[in-house]
Amino acid sequence: MKIKPKHKIAIIFPILVILLFLIKEITHNSNVYFHILMDTLVIVMSISLYHLITRKITTEAIKTLKTNERIVQHFSGVQLQLKKEKEYANNIINSMLDAVITINDKGIMQTFNKSAESMFLYKAADTIGQNVMMLMESSIRKHHDTYIKQYLLTGITNIIGTGRELSGL
């Protein structure tokens, strides 16, 4: 592994500072100017090392910030695209002549198109977020949660209304 010159300085400076302290202590030189010179060298090297380290940290922080900005821009674009696709899908669902109701794995209604509004005489805003069982007769309602649980556990569907007519509320 090759050490870059700027990293060599970061390794050498602390060693030089220690050496300067040792020289100062070993020599017992009583010359005041010698002590001032040694202390000045230690301070200059410490300041240089501080600037080297803070510049490296600042550079890395700027790189990270730019990367984060690119990620945020990317996800903002993806979020906008998903919003457009959701609007497009909702437009298709709402233009269908058949009633379309979609539910999640807990039976909570996620979509309720215009034809479903006409058929059930409920507004979409009043049904979305509610359990689909509110639209079912009691004879069907009592089996609905069991059918969902069975599907989630086994993958076997027992969709209510497949191949037969149903009454709704």
Side-chain angles (χ1 to χ4, degrees):
M1 177 174 99
K2 189 174 181 179
I3 299 175
K4 296 179 181 178
K6 63 182 175 182
H7 296 131
K8 287 179 186 176
I9 292 171
I11 295 168
I12 293 171
F13 270 17
I15 294 170
L16 288 175
V17 168
I18 293 169
L19 284 174
L20 288 172
F21 273 127
L22 287 174
I23 292 170
K24 182 179 168 186
E25 291 301 317
I26 293 171
T27 59
H28 298 294
N29 193 331
S30 60
N31 186 338
V32 174
Y33 295 115
F34 175 76
H35 287 281
I36 292 172
L37 176 65
M38 294 302 247
D39 289 343
T40 304
L41 285 172
V42 168
I43 291 169
V44 167
M45 292 179 130
S46 297
I47 291 171
S48 299
L49 184 59
Y50 170 79
H51 284 293
L52 180 73
I53 291 169
T54 55
R55 186 177 14 198
K56 177 69 174 168
I57 291 170
T58 303
T59 303
E60 290 301 318
I62 290 170
K63 285 180 186 176
T64 302
L65 180 64
K66 288 179 181 177
T67 300
N68 289 347
E69 286 173 353
R70 283 194 300 272
I71 291 170
V72 168
Q73 286 174 349
H74 172 73
F75 282 112
S76 294
V78 169
Q79 188 178 23
L80 181 62
Q81 183 64 30
L82 285 173
K83 183 179 177 183
K84 288 179 182 178
E85 289 177 15
K86 183 178 179 180
E87 287 175 10
Y88 181 72
N90 282 336
N91 287 337
I92 291 172
I93 290 170
N94 278 319
S95 67
M96 296 177 76
L97 298 177
D98 290 327
V100 176
I101 303 166
T102 60
I103 61 171
N104 66 12
D105 61 347
K106 293 177 179 42
I108 305 300
M109 289 182 273
Q110 305 293 301
T111 59
F112 196 87
N113 75 348
K114 300 285 184 203
S115 294
E117 287 181 342
S118 296
M119 180 181 288
F120 290 98
L121 302 177
Y122 283 105
K123 293 290 181 191
D126 297 331
T127 60
I128 292 175
Q130 300 295 320
N131 195 299
V132 71
M133 290 190 297
M134 72 182 270
L135 305 175
M136 299 176 188
E137 291 181 325
S138 60
S139 62
I140 298 169
R141 183 182 309 151
K142 63 184 176 185
H143 300 292
H144 186 260
D145 282 346
T146 306
Y147 293 152
I148 288 179
K149 287 177 187 171
Q150 177 186 349
Y151 172 72
L152 292 173
L153 290 173
T154 65
I156 298 169
T157 60
N158 192 358
I159 300 172
I160 297 172
T162 303
R164 60 189 165 130
E165 285 189 28
L166 293 173
S167 297
L169 301 177

